[in-house]
Each structure stands twice: as C-alpha cells, then as structure tokens.
Amino acid sequence: MKNITIAIDGPASSGKSTVAKIIAKNLGYTYLDTGAMYRSATYLALQNNLTEADVPALLEQLAEHPISFGKAADGSQAVYVGDVEVTHPIRDNQVTNNVSWVAAIPEVREELVAQQRRIAEGGAIIMDGRDIGTVVLPNADLKIFLVASVEERAERRFKENQEKGIPTDFETLKKEIAERDYKDSHRKVSPLKAADDAITFDTTGVDIDGVVNFIQEKAKKIIDKG
Ligand code: DC
C-alpha cells in the first residue's frame, strides 16, 4: 500500500482541522496543523512584545523555543513552544487577531515551511493550512481546497465557543473571519489560494462525515492504485 501525502487548504473555520484529524486517525497517518505553528510564532511575538519591526528577535525566539507536538492526556494533540504547553493559549482571541501579521513575515514562513517539509518527508501525512498545496507540498498526492460561506463558518465557530463557554458576539465573529480571509488571501507571500490541481469542495450545508467521506474516497483511490 502506498503512503500518500494529503494537503488540505482553505479559509479560517472551513473545517480543515476537524476533518484532517479524523482522516489521519482513520488512515493511521500523521496530522500536521500548520496553523498551530503560525499561532505559536504569534504567541512568542506577543509574549515578547515584538512587532513587524523585530523580525530577527522573533526568529531568535523561534530557534530558542522550537515548536513541537505531543499528545494530551485525552489523546488529542498538544502544542509546545520550547517546554511550555500552548495548546489553549494559541486559540485565544489575542493570538487569533494577531496571527495574520506574523504569518505575512517572509522569514517566518521560510522557517516554518522548512520545518513542515521535514515533518512530511516520511509520507503518510495529512497537513492543513493555507499554502500546503501551493508552496509547502506542491507534489502532494491529493490536494483539497475547502470553502464555506462566511455565515456558516461564523455559525460553526460560534457553536464551538458556546460549548467551550467562551462568550462571543456573532456579528463580531463574522467580521473577524471575513477580515482574516481578506488578509490571508491578499498578503504578498504565499496567499491563501487553491492550487491549480486542487479539488475545491464547498462544505456549506455539508456535515463533517460528508466532508470526511468525500476526501477519504479520493485518498483511498490513490492509495489503492499505488
Ligand atoms: O488554520 P488557523 O486558523 O489555525 O491558522 C491561523 C493563521 O495562520 C491563519 O489566519 C493564517 C495563518 N496560516 C498561514 O498563513 N499558512 C498556513 N499554512 C497555515 C496558517
């Protein structure tokens, strides 16, 4: 059986990480959440009061406190910078609302992309982000680009927040998602866009199982062929 590489890209809250995690588990593949890496870099920038003007200091911080992944007690993925666990802090609003400027720094992207490619070297990997099919793994065996309306994505995030007990204003959430979409797709370096050979799938009105089955069927065809 062939070990393939799967790239899943798409805008904020399009369901990438939810489906990627399930597919990774089903196939016995490694899952790499590249958004968590940009969030971790943002966490380091904020902890150290760094701005766009402090790129060398941010790169130093990244070298001193390498980003790594481990397993939490409940089996879910835990994220670390150096030996500090940042799984939850990197989902805070402050990080979310600052990640676009950090992710737009070419030197930060260069470093994180190199790390992502090293992790993918062994194959049997499913990676999600914004530039996986276009930049990180241009030779990925399967490239999926997930989209969904802003309204639906805001609703999904709103529900998630409610379940976690995080107070949220729906209209603010919608505005923040639209703003992040705009920034992620209009930045100079590696903007969010579908690779020419990606399969675009609109998940508006489709449940998680529907998206998982769609991607898994495509993956299995490629695996069985190999
Ligand atoms: O997937 P996410 O929302 O956790 O990603 C957080 C931010 O990181 C997102 O707004 C854009 C950036 N990002 C990126 O630029 N490239 C990636 N491959 C993944 C995420």
Side-chain angles (χ1 to χ4, degrees):
M1 227 169 44
K2 191 181 168 196
N3 275 337
I4 67 166
T5 49
I6 305 172
I8 303 190
D9 290 299
S13 303
S14 54
K16 302 179 299 290
S17 60
T18 308
V19 298
K21 269 182 219 158
I22 298 172
I23 297 167
K25 200 164 171 214
N26 290 347
L27 298 178
Y29 276 25
T30 300
Y31 163 60
L32 183 65
D33 176 357
T34 64
M37 297 174 80
Y38 290 95
R39 287 173 179 273
S40 298
T42 307
Y43 172 89
L44 279 174
L46 296 176
Q47 283 287 310
N48 293 282
N49 295 317
L50 303 177
T51 70
E52 282 113 310
D54 305 308
V55 174
L58 179 52
L59 293 176
E60 247 170 60
Q61 283 294 323
L62 274 171
E64 271 172 36
H65 308 279
I67 301 165
S68 63
F69 294 89
K71 240 190 192 151
D74 65 355
S76 63
Q77 203 163 57
V79 188
Y80 299 86
V81 287
D83 38 25
V84 178
E85 202 205 320
V86 296
T87 317
H88 298 298
I90 61 169
R91 305 286 156 193
D92 280 355
N93 260 346
Q94 226 210 339
V95 169
T96 303
N97 293 331
N98 279 278
V99 67
S100 289
W101 70 259
V102 174
I105 299 171
E107 294 88 342
V108 169
R109 302 203 69 84
E110 205 179 303
E111 174 53 32
L112 297 187
V113 167
Q115 294 182 17
Q116 291 155 13
R117 288 186 180 143
R118 276 198 295 275
I119 296 169
E121 264 166 16
I125 188 151
I126 180 161
M127 213 184 263
D128 78 352
R130 304 291 188 287
D131 60 340
I132 311 305
T134 51
V135 176
V136 182
L137 303 174
N139 297 321
D141 298 288
L142 177 62
K143 298 181 184 177
I144 304 286
F145 194 77
L146 292 183
V147 294
S149 69
V150 173
E151 187 80 20
E152 170 135 345
R153 287 184 284 137
E155 270 167 23
R156 289 178 191 164
R157 191 50 63 94
F158 186 75
K159 271 194 207 138
E160 265 173 38
N161 285 0
Q162 268 187 327
E163 279 160 19
K164 289 182 198 156
I166 304 171
T168 314
D169 175 62
F170 182 71
E171 288 307 316
T172 310
L173 196 61
K174 222 165 92 177
K175 202 173 121 245
E176 283 171 358
I177 288 178
E179 264 171 25
R180 203 139 64 89
D181 281 357
Y182 184 86
K183 286 184 193 155
D184 290 345
S185 13
H186 288 81
R187 66 173 179 231
K188 283 205 193 88
V189 215
S190 311
L192 166 69
K193 71 168 196 257
D196 291 339
D197 52 351
I199 300 164
T200 297
F201 186 59
D202 188 340
T203 71
T204 311
V206 185
D207 65 8
I208 293 168
D209 280 350
V211 186
V212 166
N213 290 339
F214 175 85
I215 300 173
Q216 230 165 242
E217 252 173 48
K218 306 257 174 232
K220 287 215 170 110
K221 267 193 195 144
I222 303 170
I223 293 170
D224 291 344
K225 250 201 308 192

PDB file of all heavy atoms in Angstrom, residues 34-35 38-39 91 99 103 109 129-132 180 184 187, ligand 1:
ATOM      1  N   THR A  34      -0.614  23.172  10.514  1.00  0.00           N
ATOM      2  CA  THR A  34       0.375  24.247  10.289  1.00  0.00           C
ATOM      3  C   THR A  34      -0.112  25.580  10.858  1.00  0.00           C
ATOM      4  O   THR A  34       0.692  26.430  11.211  1.00  0.00           O
ATOM      5  CB  THR A  34       0.731  24.410   8.795  1.00  0.00           C
ATOM      6  OG1 THR A  34      -0.433  24.815   8.079  1.00  0.00           O
ATOM      7  CG2 THR A  34       1.292  23.130   8.211  1.00  0.00           C
ATOM      8  N   GLY A  35      -1.445  25.749  10.961  1.00  0.00           N
ATOM      9  CA  GLY A  35      -1.980  26.970  11.571  1.00  0.00           C
ATOM     10  C   GLY A  35      -1.494  27.097  13.013  1.00  0.00           C
ATOM     11  O   GLY A  35      -1.186  28.193  13.488  1.00  0.00           O
ATOM     12  N   TYR A  38       1.900  28.775  13.037  1.00  0.00           N
ATOM     13  CA  TYR A  38       1.857  30.247  12.907  1.00  0.00           C
ATOM     14  C   TYR A  38       1.299  30.879  14.187  1.00  0.00           C
ATOM     15  O   TYR A  38       1.729  31.942  14.601  1.00  0.00           O
ATOM     16  CB  TYR A  38       1.060  30.662  11.662  1.00  0.00           C
ATOM     17  CG  TYR A  38       1.825  30.311  10.408  1.00  0.00           C
ATOM     18  CD1 TYR A  38       1.589  29.123   9.724  1.00  0.00           C
ATOM     19  CD2 TYR A  38       2.858  31.132   9.954  1.00  0.00           C
ATOM     20  CE1 TYR A  38       2.338  28.765   8.614  1.00  0.00           C
ATOM     21  CE2 TYR A  38       3.612  30.779   8.835  1.00  0.00           C
ATOM     22  CZ  TYR A  38       3.342  29.608   8.180  1.00  0.00           C
ATOM     23  OH  TYR A  38       4.107  29.255   7.088  1.00  0.00           O
ATOM     24  N   ARG A  39       0.355  30.185  14.800  1.00  0.00           N
ATOM     25  CA  ARG A  39      -0.198  30.684  16.070  1.00  0.00           C
ATOM     26  C   ARG A  39       0.873  30.664  17.161  1.00  0.00           C
ATOM     27  O   ARG A  39       0.951  31.574  17.988  1.00  0.00           O
ATOM     28  CB  ARG A  39      -1.403  29.838  16.494  1.00  0.00           C
ATOM     29  CG  ARG A  39      -2.642  30.081  15.652  1.00  0.00           C
ATOM     30  CD  ARG A  39      -3.758  29.108  15.994  1.00  0.00           C
ATOM     31  NE  ARG A  39      -4.944  29.361  15.199  1.00  0.00           N
ATOM     32  CZ  ARG A  39      -5.892  30.215  15.532  1.00  0.00           C
ATOM     33  NH1 ARG A  39      -5.823  30.869  16.682  1.00  0.00           N
ATOM     34  NH2 ARG A  39      -6.926  30.423  14.751  1.00  0.00           N
ATOM     35  N   ARG A  91      -5.164  29.605  20.958  1.00  0.00           N
ATOM     36  CA  ARG A  91      -6.525  29.775  20.399  1.00  0.00           C
ATOM     37  C   ARG A  91      -7.173  31.047  20.938  1.00  0.00           C
ATOM     38  O   ARG A  91      -8.309  31.357  20.584  1.00  0.00           O
ATOM     39  CB  ARG A  91      -7.418  28.568  20.750  1.00  0.00           C
ATOM     40  CG  ARG A  91      -6.855  27.234  20.334  1.00  0.00           C
ATOM     41  CD  ARG A  91      -6.943  26.988  18.846  1.00  0.00           C
ATOM     42  NE  ARG A  91      -5.930  26.019  18.429  1.00  0.00           N
ATOM     43  CZ  ARG A  91      -5.578  25.775  17.185  1.00  0.00           C
ATOM     44  NH1 ARG A  91      -6.138  26.445  16.192  1.00  0.00           N
ATOM     45  NH2 ARG A  91      -4.657  24.896  16.893  1.00  0.00           N
ATOM     46  N   VAL A  99      -2.401  36.867  14.348  1.00  0.00           N
ATOM     47  CA  VAL A  99      -1.655  35.864  13.581  1.00  0.00           C
ATOM     48  C   VAL A  99      -1.414  36.287  12.121  1.00  0.00           C
ATOM     49  O   VAL A  99      -0.386  35.936  11.540  1.00  0.00           O
ATOM     50  CB  VAL A  99      -2.339  34.468  13.692  1.00  0.00           C
ATOM     51  CG1 VAL A  99      -3.675  34.436  13.027  1.00  0.00           C
ATOM     52  CG2 VAL A  99      -1.453  33.364  13.182  1.00  0.00           C
ATOM     53  N   ALA A 103       2.079  35.761  10.181  1.00  0.00           N
ATOM     54  CA  ALA A 103       2.105  34.814   9.060  1.00  0.00           C
ATOM     55  C   ALA A 103       2.478  35.492   7.740  1.00  0.00           C
ATOM     56  O   ALA A 103       2.751  34.811   6.751  1.00  0.00           O
ATOM     57  CB  ALA A 103       0.750  34.130   8.941  1.00  0.00           C
ATOM     58  N   ARG A 109       7.756  32.534   7.501  1.00  0.00           N
ATOM     59  CA  ARG A 109       7.198  31.482   6.630  1.00  0.00           C
ATOM     60  C   ARG A 109       8.297  30.548   6.153  1.00  0.00           C
ATOM     61  O   ARG A 109       8.124  29.334   6.135  1.00  0.00           O
ATOM     62  CB  ARG A 109       6.477  32.080   5.412  1.00  0.00           C
ATOM     63  CG  ARG A 109       5.345  33.012   5.751  1.00  0.00           C
ATOM     64  CD  ARG A 109       4.366  33.115   4.594  1.00  0.00           C
ATOM     65  NE  ARG A 109       3.626  31.893   4.393  1.00  0.00           N
ATOM     66  CZ  ARG A 109       2.521  31.567   5.075  1.00  0.00           C
ATOM     67  NH1 ARG A 109       2.006  32.381   5.944  1.00  0.00           N
ATOM     68  NH2 ARG A 109       1.919  30.423   4.843  1.00  0.00           N
ATOM     69  N   GLY A 129      -3.656  23.865   6.118  1.00  0.00           N
ATOM     70  CA  GLY A 129      -3.176  25.245   6.227  1.00  0.00           C
ATOM     71  C   GLY A 129      -3.744  26.137   5.148  1.00  0.00           C
ATOM     72  O   GLY A 129      -4.947  26.031   4.811  1.00  0.00           O
ATOM     73  N   ARG A 130      -2.901  27.030   4.633  1.00  0.00           N
ATOM     74  CA  ARG A 130      -3.340  27.964   3.595  1.00  0.00           C
ATOM     75  C   ARG A 130      -2.543  27.788   2.302  1.00  0.00           C
ATOM     76  O   ARG A 130      -3.011  28.115   1.224  1.00  0.00           O
ATOM     77  CB  ARG A 130      -3.152  29.416   4.061  1.00  0.00           C
ATOM     78  CG  ARG A 130      -3.844  29.787   5.358  1.00  0.00           C
ATOM     79  CD  ARG A 130      -5.350  29.794   5.188  1.00  0.00           C
ATOM     80  NE  ARG A 130      -6.035  30.327   6.365  1.00  0.00           N
ATOM     81  CZ  ARG A 130      -6.173  29.698   7.525  1.00  0.00           C
ATOM     82  NH1 ARG A 130      -5.669  28.491   7.692  1.00  0.00           N
ATOM     83  NH2 ARG A 130      -6.834  30.262   8.522  1.00  0.00           N
ATOM     84  N   ASP A 131      -1.299  27.293   2.445  1.00  0.00           N
ATOM     85  CA  ASP A 131      -0.367  27.239   1.305  1.00  0.00           C
ATOM     86  C   ASP A 131       0.231  25.852   1.146  1.00  0.00           C
ATOM     87  O   ASP A 131       1.319  25.703   0.608  1.00  0.00           O
ATOM     88  CB  ASP A 131       0.775  28.244   1.539  1.00  0.00           C
ATOM     89  CG  ASP A 131       1.555  27.929   2.821  1.00  0.00           C
ATOM     90  OD1 ASP A 131       1.015  27.211   3.689  1.00  0.00           O
ATOM     91  OD2 ASP A 131       2.706  28.385   2.931  1.00  0.00           O
ATOM     92  N   ILE A 132      -0.463  24.819   1.639  1.00  0.00           N
ATOM     93  CA  ILE A 132       0.139  23.480   1.618  1.00  0.00           C
ATOM     94  C   ILE A 132       0.229  22.971   0.175  1.00  0.00           C
ATOM     95  O   ILE A 132       1.292  22.534  -0.276  1.00  0.00           O
ATOM     96  CB  ILE A 132      -0.639  22.480   2.518  1.00  0.00           C
ATOM     97  CG1 ILE A 132      -0.880  23.082   3.916  1.00  0.00           C
ATOM     98  CG2 ILE A 132       0.101  21.149   2.617  1.00  0.00           C
ATOM     99  CD1 ILE A 132       0.350  23.550   4.640  1.00  0.00           C
ATOM    100  N   ARG A 180      -9.929  38.154   8.409  1.00  0.00           N
ATOM    101  CA  ARG A 180      -8.793  37.228   8.331  1.00  0.00           C
ATOM    102  C   ARG A 180      -8.718  36.610   6.931  1.00  0.00           C
ATOM    103  O   ARG A 180      -7.641  36.472   6.362  1.00  0.00           O
ATOM    104  CB  ARG A 180      -8.914  36.147   9.417  1.00  0.00           C
ATOM    105  CG  ARG A 180      -7.611  35.517   9.780  1.00  0.00           C
ATOM    106  CD  ARG A 180      -7.488  35.288  11.275  1.00  0.00           C
ATOM    107  NE  ARG A 180      -8.463  34.344  11.792  1.00  0.00           N
ATOM    108  CZ  ARG A 180      -8.267  33.027  11.864  1.00  0.00           C
ATOM    109  NH1 ARG A 180      -7.140  32.495  11.434  1.00  0.00           N
ATOM    110  NH2 ARG A 180      -9.178  32.252  12.381  1.00  0.00           N
ATOM    111  N   ASP A 184      -5.442  36.986   4.729  1.00  0.00           N
ATOM    112  CA  ASP A 184      -4.753  35.751   4.322  1.00  0.00           C
ATOM    113  C   ASP A 184      -4.706  35.617   2.798  1.00  0.00           C
ATOM    114  O   ASP A 184      -3.757  35.065   2.252  1.00  0.00           O
ATOM    115  CB  ASP A 184      -5.445  34.509   4.925  1.00  0.00           C
ATOM    116  CG  ASP A 184      -5.256  34.409   6.438  1.00  0.00           C
ATOM    117  OD1 ASP A 184      -4.384  35.112   6.979  1.00  0.00           O
ATOM    118  OD2 ASP A 184      -6.002  33.633   7.085  1.00  0.00           O
ATOM    119  N   ARG A 187      -2.173  38.789   1.144  1.00  0.00           N
ATOM    120  CA  ARG A 187      -0.785  39.060   1.516  1.00  0.00           C
ATOM    121  C   ARG A 187       0.133  38.706   0.336  1.00  0.00           C
ATOM    122  O   ARG A 187      -0.225  37.901  -0.532  1.00  0.00           O
ATOM    123  CB  ARG A 187      -0.406  38.281   2.783  1.00  0.00           C
ATOM    124  CG  ARG A 187      -0.409  36.814   2.578  1.00  0.00           C
ATOM    125  CD  ARG A 187       0.123  36.068   3.793  1.00  0.00           C
ATOM    126  NE  ARG A 187       0.071  34.662   3.547  1.00  0.00           N
ATOM    127  CZ  ARG A 187      -0.482  33.764   4.359  1.00  0.00           C
ATOM    128  NH1 ARG A 187      -0.991  34.124   5.504  1.00  0.00           N
ATOM    129  NH2 ARG A 187      -0.495  32.495   4.026  1.00  0.00           N
TER     130      ARG A 187
HETATM  131  O1   DC B   1      -5.841  27.465  10.473  1.00  0.00           O
HETATM  132  P1   DC B   1      -5.709  28.543  11.570  1.00  0.00           P
HETATM  133  O2   DC B   1      -6.912  29.450  11.644  1.00  0.00           O
HETATM  134  O3   DC B   1      -5.340  27.986  12.896  1.00  0.00           O
HETATM  135  O4   DC B   1      -4.478  29.436  11.093  1.00  0.00           O
HETATM  136  C1   DC B   1      -4.091  30.593  11.799  1.00  0.00           C
HETATM  137  C2   DC B   1      -3.476  31.612  10.852  1.00  0.00           C
HETATM  138  O5   DC B   1      -2.205  31.136  10.379  1.00  0.00           O
HETATM  139  C3   DC B   1      -4.286  31.951   9.612  1.00  0.00           C
HETATM  140  O6   DC B   1      -5.038  33.137   9.792  1.00  0.00           O
HETATM  141  C4   DC B   1      -3.259  32.153   8.524  1.00  0.00           C
HETATM  142  C5   DC B   1      -2.013  31.514   9.047  1.00  0.00           C
HETATM  143  N1   DC B   1      -1.610  30.314   8.287  1.00  0.00           N
HETATM  144  C6   DC B   1      -0.827  30.508   7.182  1.00  0.00           C
HETATM  145  O7   DC B   1      -0.544  31.644   6.818  1.00  0.00           O
HETATM  146  N2   DC B   1      -0.343  29.447   6.499  1.00  0.00           N
HETATM  147  C7   DC B   1      -0.645  28.191   6.876  1.00  0.00           C
HETATM  148  N3   DC B   1      -0.143  27.156   6.192  1.00  0.00           N
HETATM  149  C8   DC B   1      -1.478  27.976   7.998  1.00  0.00           C
HETATM  150  C9   DC B   1      -1.967  29.068   8.682  1.00  0.00           C
END
